[in-house]
Amino acid sequence: MWTFMKENKILDMQQTYDMWLKKHNPGKPGEGTPLTSKEGEKQIQMPTDYADMMGYHCWLCGKNSNSKKQWQQHIQSEKHKEKVFTSDNDSSCWNYRFPMGEFRLCERFQKTKSCPEGEKCRFAHGQEELTEWLDRREVMKQKLAKARKDMLLCPRDDDFGKYNFLLRDSI
């Protein structure tokens, strides 16, 4: 309810009720109050606004922290780091499997067009897959840079779990 009120610049429950009446009884004159803020009135404050002002709101996770220590714990958590590197549309924009650690072509696959390790092979099975892996790595680096710029990661943090190998400079 608070979020709805804030997003629609509604200052009190009376305005919410009046808006509901107007929607469900259209055309009845005299009902409802304007939804614009009145002169001299304060804008509604949500509990999350204080986290925003303090700088302890993670827009990525939608989580608020009440202190610097709590914020540090949040941005160092595995769950948060996973969100830094993934998004809802990631799975739909890639055609091949997730990179497995080596940004080179599989020699066995190149020779025989098959690999006994299959999906578990650490190497790319074809030039198209390798190209996509390299593209993914660049996307991951961009996400990392943005997260650091937005202060969603500790500046000195370099442990990103399963994404560590993606960020290595050597190919």
Side-chain angles (χ1 to χ4, degrees):
M1 179 57 87
W2 286 100
T3 305
F4 175 81
M5 290 173 70
K6 182 177 181 180
E7 288 172 354
N8 291 286
K9 298 185 180 356
I10 298 172
L11 299 176
D12 57 31
M13 292 303 288
Q14 183 62 46
Q15 279 187 317
T16 305
Y17 176 69
D18 291 344
M19 190 172 97
W20 180 85
L21 276 178
K22 191 174 187 179
K23 182 178 180 183
H24 288 81
N25 298 318
K28 291 194 177 182
E31 290 185 1
T33 57
L35 297 179
T36 57
S37 59
K38 300 169 188 162
E39 286 296 318
E41 279 196 50
K42 293 172 78 177
Q43 179 65 27
I44 193 168
Q45 292 289 317
M46 294 176 51
T48 56
D49 290 344
Y50 298 108
D52 287 339
M53 288 186 280
M54 299 289 288
Y56 301 132
H57 175 73
C58 177
W59 58 264
L60 190 61
C61 301
K63 183 175 173 90
N64 297 307
S65 301
N66 297 321
S67 67
K68 186 174 184 175
K69 183 178 179 182
Q70 196 178 49
W71 175 253
Q72 293 294 323
Q73 289 173 338
H74 170 69
I75 63 175
Q76 291 175 350
S77 72
E78 292 301 316
K79 194 173 182 181
H80 173 77
K81 289 177 184 179
E82 179 75 20
K83 287 198 177 206
V84 166
F85 290 106
T86 59
S87 61
D88 293 338
N89 63 354
D90 278 352
S91 61
S92 63
C93 69
W94 303 113
N95 296 318
Y96 296 97
R97 62 195 166 112
F98 189 80
M100 303 296 287
E102 298 293 333
F103 293 93
R104 294 183 300 192
L105 291 171
C106 174
E107 291 177 13
R108 286 179 273 188
F109 191 83
Q110 281 184 298
K111 289 177 186 172
T112 64
K113 296 295 180 211
S114 68
C115 175
E117 294 184 46
E119 295 290 311
K120 294 180 182 176
C121 183
R122 296 175 49 82
F123 300 97
H125 290 162
Q127 186 59 47
E128 288 179 2
E129 185 172 50
L130 179 59
T131 300
E132 182 176 290
W133 285 9
L134 294 170
D135 290 346
R136 278 190 187 195
R137 188 166 99 177
E138 288 308 309
V139 168
M140 296 290 181
K141 285 182 176 183
Q142 290 171 4
K143 287 180 178 185
L144 176 62
K146 179 167 176 32
R148 287 195 197 262
K149 180 179 168 263
D150 293 347
M151 297 183 349
L152 294 175
L153 291 171
C154 289
R156 294 172 305 282
D157 193 352
D158 61 355
D159 180 14
F160 303 111
K162 71 178 187 179
Y163 300 102
N164 279 342
F165 74 92
L166 284 169
L167 303 171
R168 284 194 315 244
D169 286 330
S170 62
I171 294 180

